[in-house]
Amino acid sequence: MTALPAPAVVAPAAGAKPKAASGPRAAGTASEARTRAAALVPDESLLVGPLNGYHHETYAFPLPADDGSGAQTWWKCRYPRAGLLRFDLRRFASEEALLGALQGRVTRIPVLVERRGISLYSFIEGRTLGEVCPLGTPLSRRHLNQLGGLFRELTSVDVDETGFAGSAGAGGLSAGREDDPAAFLTRLIGFTEYHVYRRHLPRYGSLFAELGVHGAALDRLRREAARLTPRPFTLVHGDLHRENFIVDADGDLWTIDWELAMVGDPLYDLATHLHLMGYPQKESERVTGLWCEAVESARPGASAGWERDLPVLLKYKQVQSVYTDVIRTALAPGQGQGQGRGPGPRLPARAPGRIREVLAAAAIPLELARVPTSRQVRTAYENWFMSQAPTTTSPATAP
């Protein structure tokens, strides 16, 4: 059994606990993930969870320090959710192994230990950046500096020491290290086209069509990708948004959820960050300048051609969001009464507005003839729900 390190995080204040995901829990027996987590604590009432998260079922709990002080440190364990659709290409076989390799190389990331063959992540006590700095609010100077430090450290990491083997990635797509941003983006476009769009077209084709979405945008992006500027490959987090940054009690920024990390074009990390953060234009320009300074100080040439290439990568992120969000929204609604059309899935109230926003953001690369209104988005989903509903035959007319 691996001894617990000196606490990287302190236990929450007396009586405080991590927050579990909101919403009703499914009735019935405990999930396998909860059962395995419960085996790690002397009392199942100590478990908090499941915590919010799409890819994993996560539980947090306190464990006593090994120094006999009686102090407790909060940890969490994560289990992949079964049956999830994967919308992003994975490059590292193990997030745990990557985090282990990054200890001492990247500042303020979770510590990992092993208990009973289960990897535990240190629970970073604090609030998400989304709570501290919501959409439309500029980052503080302190957080800007720490974000720049993260970009610099990512660029400085020796990728040969991260466990990246350059083997085939998800879907059989090559994940080799050619230090070629054009090939890198082409692989990502191919994954989105074949494993997100085309794979699900038989089921969701009518929904995409009613929303005005087709696959031609990916062909255009592929042509633009072929002209990207050569840049040295670096470690890329791949998912730097407000909920993957935790602000601790001292006001410092921690980076969590490294499962989408890759070795690839460093500009992709900036494009993903800008796309997910929704900065106002001036703040976007400030963060871009910060990124350029950070990566160039770590590896000269890492920002080469960014002025021409960043718009192409942003287009890809906008288009990718449309394909993934349209499908996720179709999968997300709870069961209940339909929107005036009888029983069936009910679309969450805010979902049409969110889908309209991602369509509007991608209107140019998608070449949308029009951006549907929120009402039209809702109607498209209702029509699709109706088309998926099982048909029933009246006993009076049954053959």
Side-chain angles (χ1 to χ4, degrees), residues 33-65:
R34 185 177 182 88
T35 300
R36 293 178 66 190
L40 299 172
V41 293
D43 183 348
E44 188 173 346
S45 67
L46 295 172
L47 282 184
V48 178
L51 307 181
N52 283 314
Y54 175 77
H55 295 104
H56 293 88
E57 186 174 340
T58 303
Y59 295 90
F61 46 85
L63 290 176

Side-chain angles (χ1 to χ4, degrees), residues 1-5 39-41 61 63-67 75 112-120:
M1 181 183 299
T2 305
L4 289 176
L40 299 172
V41 293
F61 46 85
L63 290 176
D66 283 355
D67 58 9
W75 299 85
L112 271 81
V113 298
E114 188 172 296
R115 283 284 178 93
R116 301 181 186 178
I118 297 174
S119 295
L120 303 183

Side-chain angles (χ1 to χ4, degrees), residues 238-240 267-277 314 317:
D239 202 22
L240 293 174
L267 188 60
Y268 178 75
D269 235 1
L270 174 64
T272 301
H273 179 69
L274 296 180
H275 173 71
L276 295 175
M277 292 291 284
L314 286 172
K317 296 306 299 184

Side-chain angles (χ1 to χ4, degrees), residues 105 147-158 232-235 266 290-303:
R105 294 182 171 88
L147 177 63
L150 174 64
F151 285 136
R152 183 168 52 255
E153 289 175 337
L154 287 169
T155 310
S156 301
V157 167
D158 183 347
F233 277 16
T234 66
L235 179 64
L290 181 85
W291 175 86
C292 288
E293 293 177 8
V295 300
E296 282 296 325
S297 69
R299 186 168 300 183
S303 69

